[in-house]
Amino acid sequence: MTRPPLLPLALVLAALTASCESVPLVHRGGVPVSVGADEIPRAIQEAELALTEDRPMDALNWMRATEKVKGMSTTERERVQSLTERAADRLIAAEAHDAGDPDALVDLLDMNLPRQIAVSAGMRAAELQVDRGDYKDAYKTIRKVDKLYPTHHERSTAAALLAELGIRLSYDTGGFLFFTDNSDEGMAALEYFVMNYPARPRGDEAYRRLADMYEEMQKWDLAIERHEELILEHPDSALVPESKALIPHLRMRAVTSPEYDRGAVVRARAELEEWLRDHAGHPYEDFVRADLADARARLAESDLGIARFYAKIDNDWGARHHAARALEEARAAGDQDRIDEATRILEEHGGGVAAR
């Protein structure tokens, strides 16, 4: 069988070009992707009909098809703009319900719509995504709205959604065989929230969750920072006493040697003592008292270590000075072993010990 000769490439391209010109490309619903200037009246007519028949997406697509047309009259341009806004409003109303399509609403963000309409579309999409548990998609949608319209009018809604999705994602540490750890995405969403919406409702929860996550990662400085920011941004929050208790707790967890980190322990002790003066009776009181005893015991051990050294080289003044400081902390902590050792060093190096 003899094959027919191949057509020259130029003829093939010409045929394809002619075909594209005669049959317009199609968007959703059979609407052309673009129209010519002479087809503007028809596009307007089709959009009006689509709105009458409650087909807002078709109406919007007809108006989108006119986007690149040059030379429209002022009347035509105003009519296209009006129909675009009406179609977008109708589409938002049609899709912003439990069975709606959030993707259709997200698409509106790329249509050069008036700011208020575009933002409303984005926020309705994000709400639907959160309701369906599509938290990562909702996070992307909110960030897109914020990027396009940094001072938009639905920042309260955006903040509430970010707090909800961020906290939920932060606890999602694994699905089937632990292959779907979303906690990092949750941390990113919460960090975005506290950076852009620090004083909004649920901000205290966001700061606290971040602090807890950094503590789990043993990133002590970051955990302390988030607790401090919670106190600063939400001073009336019920979580403030807990953060004030956890800050010195984290300082001491970060300490690896009482000899070289004495300043951090001294600071923690002062914070714990202040907490007990301000929050007596709080459920965290026993927790704070245990930390305070630990801080005092560490300070006592720090001074005892120096006192032992001075005792070894027969420096009576140094041994007495540090043993006396150790004794004060050990007594406050109720640490009998260290009380006994400090007392012995004082007695051996000529220091009187006050009775208790």
Side-chain angles (χ1 to χ4, degrees), residues 39-350:
E39 295 176 295
I40 295 296
R42 180 201 168 196
I44 290 173
Q45 214 171 34
E46 292 284 359
E48 289 174 335
L49 177 62
L51 285 175
T52 300
E53 295 177 350
D54 200 23
R55 292 183 287 111
M57 180 57 83
D58 286 348
L60 196 58
N61 285 335
W62 274 109
M63 294 299 88
R64 290 179 72 186
T66 70
E67 284 178 353
K68 296 182 180 180
V69 176
K70 297 180 180 179
M72 270 195 283
S73 69
T74 301
T75 301
E76 287 175 332
R77 192 167 297 282
E78 289 175 352
R79 191 69 186 135
V80 165
Q81 183 65 27
S82 174
L83 285 168
T84 299
E85 293 176 15
R86 285 174 56 199
D89 274 336
R90 192 82 65 83
L91 183 63
I92 293 171
E95 300 296 347
H97 55 76
D98 291 344
D101 179 7
D103 291 339
L105 297 175
V106 172
D107 287 345
L108 297 182
L109 291 170
D110 298 318
M111 294 187 189
N112 297 318
L113 293 169
R115 173 193 183 95
Q116 188 161 342
I117 293 175
V119 170
S120 294
M123 286 300 100
R124 299 299 78 74
E127 287 176 332
L128 286 174
Q129 289 163 334
V130 168
D131 288 344
R132 296 175 186 187
D134 298 330
Y135 302 126
K136 290 193 281 188
D137 289 340
Y139 176 41
K140 291 177 184 176
T141 299
I142 293 169
R143 291 199 64 169
K144 184 172 185 176
V145 173
D146 283 353
K147 183 177 180 180
L148 292 171
Y149 309 100
T151 59
H152 63 81
H153 66 287
E154 292 220 38
R155 287 179 61 79
S156 294
T157 301
L161 292 173
L162 277 168
E164 179 69 16
L165 69 89
I167 290 171
R168 286 183 178 274
L169 280 174
S170 75
Y171 285 107
D172 185 0
T173 55
F176 179 66
L177 296 180
F178 302 98
F179 290 149
T180 56
D181 188 339
N182 291 316
S183 59
D184 286 347
E185 195 81 12
M187 176 177 280
L190 290 174
E191 285 289 2
Y192 180 82
F193 173 85
V194 299
M195 182 180 295
N196 293 277
Y197 302 91
R200 296 281 180 169
R202 300 196 71 185
D204 54 344
E205 295 177 59
Y207 280 118
R208 175 58 184 273
R209 180 60 186 139
L210 284 168
D212 289 346
M213 293 179 81
Y214 286 128
E215 179 179 356
E216 291 165 9
M217 298 163 68
Q218 297 188 11
K219 294 185 176 182
W220 313 119
D221 289 344
L222 286 173
I224 289 170
E225 283 179 15
R226 296 302 170 269
H227 281 298
E228 290 173 338
E229 289 161 353
L230 186 160
I231 295 166
L232 177 65
E233 297 290 350
H234 299 272
D236 297 325
S237 169
L239 297 177
V240 165
E242 295 179 14
S243 283
K244 286 185 175 181
L246 288 167
I247 287 171
H249 176 77
L250 293 169
R251 287 196 204 286
M252 293 206 301
R253 289 195 67 182
V255 169
T256 56
S257 165
E259 292 85 3
Y260 298 106
D261 294 295
R262 182 182 177 90
V265 180
V266 169
R267 183 175 182 182
R269 179 191 61 186
E271 290 169 335
L272 293 164
E273 289 172 340
E274 181 181 0
W275 191 97
L276 288 169
R277 288 194 298 270
D278 294 342
H279 302 288
H282 188 277
Y284 266 44
E285 183 171 350
D286 289 344
F287 174 83
V288 170
R289 289 192 181 281
D291 271 350
L292 181 56
D294 181 28
R296 287 168 170 162
R298 293 195 199 192
L299 292 173
E301 182 58 34
S302 173
D303 273 308
L304 275 175
I306 300 171
R308 293 183 198 114
F309 169 76
Y310 281 126
K312 187 174 183 180
I313 63 173
D314 295 323
N315 185 325
D316 291 335
W317 183 90
R320 289 196 306 272
H321 174 71
H322 287 281
R325 293 205 321 184
L327 179 60
E328 181 179 358
E329 296 291 353
R331 280 174 170 170
D335 187 333
Q336 191 59 50
D337 288 343
R338 290 188 174 94
I339 291 172
D340 292 343
E341 184 176 2
T343 300
R344 178 182 58 76
I345 293 173
L346 280 168
E347 290 173 345
E348 289 176 358
H349 291 273

